[in-house]
């Protein structure tokens, strides 16, 4: 799996990443905000979803579910750089069965940034790894 993680790093641009501030939320508040974010994503309203998800991410930065959802919301909202960063974090922490969906979000984010060759290479390495 080391090679897939290595493929993620060169494509990240952290210069425009927002500073992260601590936010205290209870688990119940997190769950409610995640439910609302899911509803917004299902309704194809990524902007309100990503606002909620960015807040939840600040309170739960190690939560891979939050990172996965944030990556998708950023991609759907037209922010492929932010989507690639969130997908990278999610990919490194997610369970094996979620690597392909997260990898697809990452590859799409690369593609939308004009890095088609990198997206193809990443997908090829991801799919080759899954076949083993």
């Amino acid at each position: 799996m080391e090679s897939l993680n290595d493929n993620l790093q060169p494509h990240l641009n952290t210069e425009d990443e927002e500073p992260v501030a601590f936010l205290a939320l209870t688990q119940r508040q997190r769950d409610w905000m995640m439910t609302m974010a899911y509803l917004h994503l299902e309704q194809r309203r990524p902007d309100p979803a990503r606002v909620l998800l960015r807040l939840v991410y600040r309170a739960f930065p190690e939560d891979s579910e939050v990172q996965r959802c944030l990556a998708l919301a950023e991609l759907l909202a037209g922010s492929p750089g932010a989507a690639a960063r969130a997908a990278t974090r999610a990919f490194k922490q997610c369970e094996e069965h979620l690597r392909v969906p997260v990898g697809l979000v990452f590859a799409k984010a690369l593609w939308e940034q004009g890095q088609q060759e990198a997206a193809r290479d990443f997908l090829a390495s991801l799919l080759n790894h899954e076949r083993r």
Side-chain angles (χ1 to χ4, degrees), residues 8-129:
L8 293 170
Q9 291 303 335
H11 310 291
L12 298 179
N13 178 8
T14 57
E15 294 172 1
D16 59 345
E17 194 164 350
E18 293 180 27
V20 177
F22 178 74
L23 177 67
L25 293 176
T26 66
Q27 186 65 39
R28 191 171 181 180
Q29 290 168 326
R30 176 239 181 247
D31 293 345
W32 181 85
M33 291 175 78
M34 289 297 293
T35 300
M36 296 307 297
Y38 277 122
L39 290 173
H40 285 300
L41 287 173
E42 284 181 359
Q43 296 172 359
R44 291 293 202 190
R45 297 179 58 218
D47 288 325
R50 81 176 165 169
V51 168
L52 289 168
L53 290 164
R54 285 176 177 177
L55 288 171
V56 175
Y57 173 70
R58 288 186 177 164
F60 297 90
E62 301 301 319
D63 189 325
S64 65
E65 179 185 15
V66 173
Q67 294 167 4
R68 289 191 312 270
C69 292
L70 180 57
L72 181 60
E74 294 287 3
L75 186 64
L76 294 174
S79 298
R85 287 188 298 278
T88 297
R89 291 188 301 266
F91 190 85
K92 290 178 178 179
Q93 293 183 343
C94 72
E95 299 169 18
E96 192 71 29
H97 70 280
L98 294 171
R99 289 190 179 269
V100 171
V102 174
L104 291 173
V105 171
F106 179 74
K108 177 72 171 158
L110 290 178
W111 190 276
E112 288 188 10
Q113 293 178 80
Q115 299 180 41
Q116 288 82 8
E117 191 63 35
R120 282 188 205 102
D121 291 346
F122 178 77
L123 280 177
S125 66
L126 178 64
L127 295 175
N128 284 333
H129 182 267

